[in-house]
PDB file of all heavy atoms in Angstrom:
ATOM      1  N   ILE A 143     134.370 129.731 120.593  1.00 97.00           N
ATOM      2  CA  ILE A 143     134.955 128.392 120.648  1.00 97.00           C
ATOM      3  C   ILE A 143     134.607 127.738 121.979  1.00 97.00           C
ATOM      4  O   ILE A 143     134.811 128.327 123.033  1.00 97.00           O
ATOM      5  CB  ILE A 143     136.486 128.457 120.496  1.00 97.00           C
ATOM      6  CG1 ILE A 143     136.866 129.118 119.171  1.00 97.00           C
ATOM      7  CG2 ILE A 143     137.095 127.060 120.580  1.00 97.00           C
ATOM      8  CD1 ILE A 143     138.350 129.407 119.039  1.00 97.00           C
ATOM      9  N   THR A 144     134.088 126.526 121.922  1.00 97.00           N
ATOM     10  CA  THR A 144     133.799 125.747 123.124  1.00 97.00           C
ATOM     11  C   THR A 144     134.611 124.467 123.060  1.00 97.00           C
ATOM     12  O   THR A 144     134.609 123.770 122.041  1.00 97.00           O
ATOM     13  CB  THR A 144     132.299 125.401 123.216  1.00 97.00           C
ATOM     14  OG1 THR A 144     131.526 126.602 123.136  1.00 97.00           O
ATOM     15  CG2 THR A 144     131.996 124.697 124.528  1.00 97.00           C
ATOM     16  N   ARG A 145     135.318 124.159 124.135  1.00 97.00           N
ATOM     17  CA  ARG A 145     136.214 123.002 124.156  1.00 97.00           C
ATOM     18  C   ARG A 145     135.652 121.915 125.075  1.00 97.00           C
ATOM     19  O   ARG A 145     135.237 122.186 126.203  1.00 97.00           O
ATOM     20  CB  ARG A 145     137.617 123.426 124.595  1.00 97.00           C
ATOM     21  CG  ARG A 145     138.206 124.480 123.671  1.00 97.00           C
ATOM     22  CD  ARG A 145     139.666 124.775 123.977  1.00 97.00           C
ATOM     23  NE  ARG A 145     140.144 125.858 123.112  1.00 97.00           N
ATOM     24  CZ  ARG A 145     140.580 125.694 121.875  1.00 97.00           C
ATOM     25  NH1 ARG A 145     140.618 124.481 121.348  1.00 97.00           N
ATOM     26  NH2 ARG A 145     140.992 126.725 121.154  1.00 97.00           N
ATOM     27  N   TYR A 146     135.676 120.684 124.556  1.00 98.00           N
ATOM     28  CA  TYR A 146     135.204 119.516 125.300  1.00 98.00           C
ATOM     29  C   TYR A 146     136.395 118.605 125.557  1.00 98.00           C
ATOM     30  O   TYR A 146     137.084 118.192 124.620  1.00 98.00           O
ATOM     31  CB  TYR A 146     134.109 118.798 124.502  1.00 98.00           C
ATOM     32  CG  TYR A 146     132.856 119.637 124.341  1.00 98.00           C
ATOM     33  CD1 TYR A 146     132.743 120.557 123.289  1.00 98.00           C
ATOM     34  CD2 TYR A 146     131.808 119.533 125.237  1.00 98.00           C
ATOM     35  CE1 TYR A 146     131.619 121.348 123.162  1.00 98.00           C
ATOM     36  CE2 TYR A 146     130.680 120.321 125.111  1.00 98.00           C
ATOM     37  CZ  TYR A 146     130.587 121.224 124.077  1.00 98.00           C
ATOM     38  OH  TYR A 146     129.467 122.016 123.944  1.00 98.00           O
ATOM     39  N   TYR A 147     136.639 118.271 126.821  1.00 98.00           N
ATOM     40  CA  TYR A 147     137.864 117.559 127.186  1.00 98.00           C
ATOM     41  C   TYR A 147     137.602 116.656 128.403  1.00 98.00           C
ATOM     42  O   TYR A 147     136.477 116.589 128.902  1.00 98.00           O
ATOM     43  CB  TYR A 147     138.983 118.557 127.482  1.00 98.00           C
ATOM     44  CG  TYR A 147     138.706 119.472 128.659  1.00 98.00           C
ATOM     45  CD1 TYR A 147     139.278 119.223 129.906  1.00 98.00           C
ATOM     46  CD2 TYR A 147     137.870 120.575 128.525  1.00 98.00           C
ATOM     47  CE1 TYR A 147     139.012 120.054 130.991  1.00 98.00           C
ATOM     48  CE2 TYR A 147     137.604 121.400 129.599  1.00 98.00           C
ATOM     49  CZ  TYR A 147     138.172 121.143 130.832  1.00 98.00           C
ATOM     50  OH  TYR A 147     137.901 121.962 131.896  1.00 98.00           O
ATOM     51  N   ASN A 148     138.658 115.976 128.861  1.00 97.00           N
ATOM     52  CA  ASN A 148     138.527 115.002 129.960  1.00 97.00           C
ATOM     53  C   ASN A 148     137.385 114.021 129.680  1.00 97.00           C
ATOM     54  O   ASN A 148     136.578 113.705 130.559  1.00 97.00           O
ATOM     55  CB  ASN A 148     138.307 115.695 131.304  1.00 97.00           C
ATOM     56  CG  ASN A 148     139.546 116.377 131.834  1.00 97.00           C
ATOM     57  OD1 ASN A 148     140.599 116.353 131.187  1.00 97.00           O
ATOM     58  ND2 ASN A 148     139.444 117.002 133.000  1.00 97.00           N
ATOM     59  N   ARG A 149     137.353 113.527 128.451  1.00 98.00           N
ATOM     60  CA  ARG A 149     136.259 112.652 128.032  1.00 98.00           C
ATOM     61  C   ARG A 149     136.575 111.200 128.402  1.00 98.00           C
ATOM     62  O   ARG A 149     137.667 110.704 128.149  1.00 98.00           O
ATOM     63  CB  ARG A 149     136.049 112.770 126.521  1.00 98.00           C
ATOM     64  CG  ARG A 149     135.763 114.180 126.065  1.00 98.00           C
ATOM     65  CD  ARG A 149     135.728 114.282 124.543  1.00 98.00           C
ATOM     66  NE  ARG A 149     134.553 113.627 123.985  1.00 98.00           N
ATOM     67  CZ  ARG A 149     134.405 113.378 122.697  1.00 98.00           C
ATOM     68  NH1 ARG A 149     135.362 113.691 121.841  1.00 98.00           N
ATOM     69  NH2 ARG A 149     133.313 112.788 122.262  1.00 98.00           N
TER      70      ARG A 149
END
Side-chain angles (χ1 to χ4, degrees):
I143 301 171
T144 305
R145 301 188 184 277
Y146 294 86
Y147 63 101
N148 287 1
R149 303 173 71 192

